[in-house]
Amino acid sequence: MGWWLLGAGLLLCLLLRSALRSPAPPLALPTLHGRTAIVTGGSSGIGEAVARELARCGARVVLATRNALRGEAAARRIRRDTGNPQVLFMPLDLSSLHSVHTFATAFLQQEPHLHLLINNAGVSAGGTTEDGFSLPFQVNYLGHFLLTQLLLQRLQSSAPSRVVIVASSAHCAGRLRMAELGRPPPGPFSAFQDYCDSKLANVLHARQLAAHLQGTGVTAYAVHPGGCCGSDVKQYVYGGWAWAWWCITDTQRISLEIMTLQPRCEDVETAEGVALTVTGVAQVKIMTEKELLAVACEQFLGKNVQDVKNVVLQTLEGHLRSILGTLTVEQIYQDRDQFAKLVREVAAPDVGRMGIEILSFTIKDVYDKVDYLSSLGKTQTAAVRRDADIGVAEAERDAGIREAECKKEMLDVKFMADTKIADSKRAFELQKAAFTEEVNIKTAEAQLAYELQSAREQQKIRQEEIEIEVVQRKKQIDVEEKEIIRKEKELIATVKRPAEAEAYRIQQIAEGEKVRQVLLAQAEAEKIRKIGEAEAFVIEAIGMAEAERMKLKAEALQSYGEAAQLALVLDALPEIAAKVAAPLSRVDEIVVLSGESSNVTSEVNRLLAEIPASVRAITGVDLTKIPLIQKATGAQA
């Protein structure tokens, strides 16, 4: 008999559970397009069901709830289930009268109409609000009363409209004591009595409101929802255990383990238009905070781990693609940590609204198909090698400088030692110099004469080369000026001003060329001077080591006599003249240019006519046999 009773009880429980959870039969839905409704407590239970049906009828629905995460999640679910995009969430905490005022102000500013106000939110737990009233009385009645009064004018302007107050048959047990209104009643069942009193106040409010608004187009109703399976509030348990009724309580599991994702974006164009492929590794998990866990359960309860991974992976890849399009290749490649941090910061709010936490996100690899990144690497490698070569060169330079300084110090010491040795040997050398004096004098004279003669010849040769260059430049200038004059005379009869402009241009070019040549000559002279200074420094260093010997040469030269020196110079003069004239023998033509007011050409011609005779009288060399001189003097004749 006991088993039959147990079986009948279980069957009754199953039938009751099925009846409570089975949806009501479908009814013909009215059309509510263009109408606006407010549903308090619309994130779960009866409120969510009412809001869903209103949205399915086409109404614009505002979910007024306290919890922002649950309110947003409920709005998303209703939009998804009904296909109505006009379902939105606005924060409203009925346990705070200030929050009620804030909500009403925001709604009146945002929405021009209100056709349906459903005061659905309610609580049964005891407590006291920040305004000093009992929690059930303020949430169930007083907050709704204030909200209705604040929105009443908008309801009247949008008539026909209505106010629906969700009451309960528990109002029959309610008792309103005006002296203790709004305060928890005494007794062992004060919380339940407080709930019954608030529902009685709801019914009285609906009756008074209906009477007050009669004839305005606004109607008021108090409804008893009947028996239902609770408020659809779920109990979440993690890291522990809880009781569950077999065949009655519905239990589901969701994994809280860390999930490893590998987002991959192929051929995504960066800000510079370079297509990159980026792969990463992300560690994510479902958060265990109660509110966030509830959001995650609403999103993923009943789905396996792979489904959760796919949703989060698509979100990460979407943000990864959007961020890639705003960065350059250099920013992505050179600072991967900053790039990964940016992806985490941008993706964290979206996945957080799904109850998912990003524990870590790193960039695994970045590559492209056009070798752009390898080119960047080559550039950096070349820069490093260049810096290394520069460092080696600088080190070698410093080492060379130090080595030269050491050698100089060594040579200075050696020079001082050699000088002392020379001083010690000088007495002996002086004694030996008595019978070798004549030989030494002759040798010194010959050496000195050779060096002096060589230096003079080099100096004269260089001077002649400079003069030849000057003559060539002057001749070139003269030719250009004559060409300008010729063109000027040729074109003056036809187009005078273009010819003058052309002549001016040519003149400016000639002047520029002349200045350039002068600057080149000055640079060459400066070069020669620098070389001469360097050679002088070398000669001075050698001369210091041979000071004593040069002194003897100088004394011998002084004793030799000016007449003998002059004879040597005259003997060598023909050879000098021949060497001086040698470059001229290889010149086919010298052109001298001068302006209209310049007498350079006449002076050059006069010099060419006088020089051969003077040179022949002094040196015996006949310059008229040189083809260039013959051509110049012939042209003059």
Side-chain angles (χ1 to χ4, degrees), residues 351-614:
V351 297
R353 283 190 285 269
M354 294 184 287
I356 303 295
E357 179 184 8
I358 300 177
L359 301 178
S360 67
F361 180 84
T362 56
I363 299 301
K364 183 178 179 182
D365 195 9
V366 179
Y367 59 90
D368 64 305
K369 298 180 180 180
V370 295
D371 296 333
Y372 187 93
L373 295 175
S374 62
S375 300
L376 287 179
K378 292 179 181 177
T379 302
Q380 295 177 353
T381 303
V384 171
R385 289 181 178 176
R386 177 200 63 198
D387 295 339
D389 294 339
I390 292 174
V392 172
E394 290 178 349
E396 292 178 352
R397 178 200 63 192
D398 296 339
I401 292 173
R402 183 57 185 164
E403 183 180 0
E405 291 175 352
C406 295
K407 287 183 179 180
K408 181 178 178 300
E409 293 176 358
M410 180 189 70
L411 292 175
D412 291 341
V413 174
K414 184 176 182 300
F415 173 73
M416 292 177 64
D418 292 342
T419 302
K420 291 181 180 180
I421 293 173
D423 290 340
S424 63
K425 291 183 178 179
R426 182 172 53 184
F428 177 73
E429 294 294 335
L430 290 174
Q431 291 179 0
K432 291 178 62 178
F435 63 90
T436 59
E437 180 177 1
E438 185 175 358
V439 175
N440 290 336
I441 290 173
K442 294 295 183 181
T443 303
E445 290 175 353
Q447 183 68 24
L448 180 60
Y450 173 78
E451 292 177 356
L452 289 174
Q453 190 65 29
S454 176
R456 289 172 181 173
E457 289 177 356
Q458 293 294 330
Q459 183 178 4
K460 289 181 179 180
I461 290 171
R462 182 54 190 164
Q463 183 176 1
E464 289 296 333
E465 290 178 352
I466 294 173
E467 290 178 356
I468 290 171
E469 292 177 358
V470 171
V471 170
Q472 289 177 346
R473 288 194 294 270
K474 289 180 179 180
K475 186 66 175 176
Q476 184 179 359
I477 293 171
D478 189 19
V479 171
E480 291 178 354
E481 290 176 350
K482 289 182 178 180
E483 181 66 15
I484 292 170
I485 294 171
R486 185 187 66 80
K487 290 183 178 181
E488 181 180 4
K489 291 180 180 181
E490 180 181 352
L491 298 176
I492 195 169
T494 56
V495 184
K496 181 178 180 181
R497 294 196 178 276
E500 289 178 351
E502 183 67 18
Y504 179 76
R505 185 183 67 83
I506 296 174
Q507 184 178 1
Q508 291 299 318
I509 293 173
E511 289 295 332
E513 181 65 20
K514 181 166 66 175
V515 171
R516 187 179 71 84
Q517 295 295 336
V518 170
L519 292 177
L520 289 175
Q522 291 176 353
E524 185 66 23
E526 182 66 16
K527 173 183 175 183
I528 295 171
R529 186 179 68 80
K530 293 293 184 180
I531 295 173
E533 289 178 355
E535 293 177 351
F537 179 77
V538 175
I539 293 172
E540 181 181 0
I542 297 173
M544 291 177 66
E546 299 180 357
E548 191 65 27
R549 186 171 65 85
M550 293 298 296
K551 182 178 179 182
L552 295 176
K553 288 182 179 182
E555 292 175 355
L557 181 61
Q558 184 177 3
S559 61
Y560 191 78
E562 295 181 357
Q565 294 179 14
L566 181 59
L568 291 174
V569 172
L570 292 176
D571 292 339
L573 192 58
E575 185 179 354
I576 294 172
K579 291 184 178 181
V580 169
L584 293 175
S585 63
R586 294 190 295 272
V587 177
D588 296 332
E589 182 180 1
I590 298 177
V591 179
V592 179
L593 300 176
S594 63
E596 294 180 356
S597 61
S598 176
N599 57 355
V600 175
T601 305
S602 59
E603 290 296 328
V604 171
N605 292 333
R606 184 178 62 80
L607 290 174
L608 290 175
E610 295 177 357
I611 286 174
S614 301

Side-chain angles (χ1 to χ4, degrees), residues 204 238 580:
L204 296 177
Y238 63 92
V580 169

Side-chain angles (χ1 to χ4, degrees), residues 200-408:
L200 176 59
N202 285 145
V203 174
L204 296 177
H205 177 216
R207 291 181 62 181
Q208 180 62 27
L209 192 62
H212 177 71
L213 297 175
Q214 189 173 5
T216 62
V218 181
T219 56
Y221 303 90
V223 299
H224 169 52
C228 63
C229 189
S231 63
D232 199 26
V233 176
K234 301 178 179 63
Q235 181 182 6
Y236 304 97
V237 180
Y238 63 92
W241 61 276
W243 291 102
W245 293 96
W246 181 64
C247 294
I248 296 178
T249 305
D250 185 15
T251 61
Q252 296 187 39
R253 294 177 180 270
I254 187 170
S255 176
L256 300 180
E257 296 180 352
I258 296 176
M259 294 173 284
T260 301
L261 307 177
Q262 295 183 351
R264 177 185 178 90
C265 294
E266 295 184 356
D267 298 331
V268 180
E269 292 188 356
T270 63
E272 298 172 339
V274 180
L276 294 182
T277 298
V278 179
T279 60
V281 177
Q283 305 291 338
V284 300
K285 70 181 295 293
I286 295 176
M287 290 184 278
T288 56
E289 289 80 358
K290 185 176 181 180
E291 294 180 352
L292 299 174
L293 181 59
V295 173
C297 290
E298 291 176 357
Q299 300 287 335
F300 304 112
L301 201 61
K303 298 182 179 180
N304 56 35
V305 176
Q306 188 59 42
D307 294 337
V308 178
K309 286 184 176 181
N310 291 337
V311 172
V312 180
L313 181 62
Q314 291 177 4
T315 304
L316 288 177
E317 289 180 348
H319 285 293
L320 186 60
R321 285 179 176 274
S322 63
I323 294 174
L324 280 172
T326 62
L327 300 177
T328 63
V329 179
E330 289 76 7
Q331 291 173 331
I332 298 170
Y333 184 72
Q334 296 174 359
D335 197 351
R336 296 190 181 186
D337 293 338
Q338 184 63 28
F339 175 45
K341 180 180 178 182
L342 183 60
V343 175
R344 285 197 303 271
E345 292 175 352
V346 174
D350 285 349
V351 297
R353 283 190 285 269
M354 294 184 287
I356 303 295
E357 179 184 8
I358 300 177
L359 301 178
S360 67
F361 180 84
T362 56
I363 299 301
K364 183 178 179 182
D365 195 9
V366 179
Y367 59 90
D368 64 305
K369 298 180 180 180
V370 295
D371 296 333
Y372 187 93
L373 295 175
S374 62
S375 300
L376 287 179
K378 292 179 181 177
T379 302
Q380 295 177 353
T381 303
V384 171
R385 289 181 178 176
R386 177 200 63 198
D387 295 339
D389 294 339
I390 292 174
V392 172
E394 290 178 349
E396 292 178 352
R397 178 200 63 192
D398 296 339
I401 292 173
R402 183 57 185 164
E403 183 180 0
E405 291 175 352
C406 295
K407 287 183 179 180
K408 181 178 178 300

